[in-house]
């Protein structure tokens, strides 16, 4: 009986034909022309905002590149990844949506899939490194104090090597890149899991090393940071102003990192859920019109980070200006009190004379 069951499973896997190998054109849009035009305009706006925002972050950071802290260097690398997605990937999908079909063929499809996965994986691993940096700086000061700029550059080399490896693995015959079911975009071939055990192993490896493990590290780091901050806020209040200012700066960087990670995960988790369902659920059970929404949401992730930088910087500047005003007012009051005291002393001396 077990042999018959295994034969049945093998035959069902052999019978499964993914959407891009069926008789119809895999690159023809399965959406209405109106929906494609709306998606094209949406991606155009996202691409322009993302390019301008991340370009601005990189430009401003280049002016003070010798003063960047390790966490800020990682943030610049994240902006580079987001800019890469916008410049390298967005034009392909925008042109295809307006053309009502994918117009770049299989070579363009594989290049687009590689670039999207490469920069996306680079972004997530960069955020993982940032979360670990924040965790060591706040929860383990003995380790965090030796994290210098050259450690950040070594970490960048590891991040780019990691992203290159996993993005290039499909070209070695282990996996592949394929068109999305709606036809005007390309991604990892999640549908290989429906066809063979090797395909399932490939998809599970990608999910673990490029999504689940980095996300678990990020969540662990920030949970520990939140618990540490709650217990140490009162202790920092007793230190001098120099230590307090350093603590404020570290918390600012931590808030930026937490918001960036939250925005990235909120944008990509719906797409990951749909992809996993496509890989291990019932074949072709995800409606085509439904699958396009998580894809468009994931493509907007590159736009959020510059907005987060600006919001946190504005709040930090406001808090700093309030602190300076408070200090200046306290200094003025002290000066006035001292001068008044001196005047009264002079008057009393004159009366005595």
């Amino acid at each position: 009986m077990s042999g018959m069951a295994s034969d049945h499973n093998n035959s069902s896997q052999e019978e499964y034909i993914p959407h891009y190998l069926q008789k119809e054109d895999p690159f023809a849009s399965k959406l209405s022309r109106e929906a494609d035009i709306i998606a094209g305009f949406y991606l155009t706006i996202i691409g322009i905002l993302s390019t301008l925002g991340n370009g601005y972050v990189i430009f401003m950071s280049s002016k003070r590149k010798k003063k960047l802290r390790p966490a800020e260097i990682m943030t610049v690398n994240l902006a580079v990844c987001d800019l890469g997605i916008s410049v390298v990937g967005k034009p392909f999908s925008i042109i295809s949506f307006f053309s009502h079909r994918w117009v770049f063929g299989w070579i363009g499809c594989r290049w687009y899939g590689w670039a999207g996965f490469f920069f996306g994986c680079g972004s997530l691993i960069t955020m993982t490194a940032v979360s670990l940096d924040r965790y060591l700086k706040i929860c383990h000061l003995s380790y965090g104090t030796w994290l210098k700029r050259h450690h950040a550059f070594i970490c960048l080399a590891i991040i780019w090597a990691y992203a290159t490896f996993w993005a290039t693995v499909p070209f070695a015959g282990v996996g592949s890149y394929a068109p999305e079911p709606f036809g005007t975009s390309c991604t990892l071939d999640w549908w290989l899991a429906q066809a063979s055990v090797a395909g399932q192993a490939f998809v599970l490896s990608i999910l673990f090393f490029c999504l689940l493990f980095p996300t678990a590290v990020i969540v662990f780091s920030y949970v520990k940071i939140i618990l540490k901050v709650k217990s140490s806020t009162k202790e920092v209040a007793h230190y001098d102003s120099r230590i307090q200012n350093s603590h404020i700066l570290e918390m600012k960087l931590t808030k930026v990192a937490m918001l960036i990670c939250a925005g990235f995960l909120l944008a990509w988790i719906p797409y990951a859920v749909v992809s996993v369902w496509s890989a291990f659920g019932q074949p072709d059970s995800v409606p085509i019109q439904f699958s396009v929404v998580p894809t468009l949401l994931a493509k907007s992730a590159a736009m959020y980070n510059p907005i987060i930088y600006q919001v946190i910087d504005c709040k930090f500047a406001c808090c700093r200006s309030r602190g300076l005003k408070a200090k200046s007012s306290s200094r003025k009051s002290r000066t006035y009190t001292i001068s008044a005291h001196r005047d009264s002393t002079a008057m009393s001396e004159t009366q005595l004379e």
Side-chain angles (χ1 to χ4, degrees), residues 122-135:
S123 295
L124 183 57
I125 304 304
T126 301
M127 286 185 284
T128 306
V130 170
S131 69
L132 286 174
D133 173 78
R134 298 291 86 210
Y135 170 70

Side-chain angles (χ1 to χ4, degrees), residues 69-71 132-149 151 250:
R69 301 159 66 92
L132 286 174
D133 173 78
R134 298 291 86 210
Y135 170 70
L136 292 174
K137 283 285 177 67
I138 294 175
C139 299
H140 298 281
L141 296 177
S142 58
Y143 292 99
T145 52
W146 61 264
L147 289 174
K148 306 300 181 184
R149 284 169 58 91
H151 295 111
E250 293 295 341

Side-chain angles (χ1 to χ4, degrees), residues 297-318:
L297 180 62
K299 292 180 187 298
S300 68
M303 180 188 68
Y304 303 148
N305 297 339
I307 298 174
I308 293 171
Y309 304 149
Q310 294 303 315
V311 170
I312 294 294
D313 280 340
C314 288
K315 287 185 178 180
F316 184 67
C318 289

Side-chain angles (χ1 to χ4, degrees), residues 11-47:
S11 63
S12 62
Q13 288 181 342
E14 290 175 359
E15 290 173 0
Y16 174 72
I17 301 176
H19 62 276
Y20 55 84
L21 293 179
Q22 295 175 6
K23 293 181 179 180
E24 58 185 9
D25 185 359
F27 297 129
S29 177
K30 311 304 186 297
L31 305 174
S32 65
R33 187 170 291 276
E34 292 78 11
D36 276 338
I37 292 174
I38 293 173
F41 277 115
Y42 167 80
L43 290 179
T44 300
I45 295 171
I46 294 295

Side-chain angles (χ1 to χ4, degrees), residues 79-140:
V80 171
C81 292
D82 291 340
L83 185 64
I85 293 175
S86 302
V87 173
V88 177
K90 289 290 192 301
F92 285 82
S93 54
I94 291 171
I95 293 172
S96 296
F97 273 113
F98 282 126
S99 300
H100 198 50
R101 64 173 288 108
W102 180 263
V103 297
F104 302 100
W106 277 103
I107 294 177
C109 181
R110 293 188 178 101
W111 160 251
Y112 176 84
W114 180 89
F117 185 48
F118 172 72
F119 288 115
C121 182
S123 295
L124 183 57
I125 304 304
T126 301
M127 286 185 284
T128 306
V130 170
S131 69
L132 286 174
D133 173 78
R134 298 291 86 210
Y135 170 70
L136 292 174
K137 283 285 177 67
I138 294 175
C139 299
H140 298 281

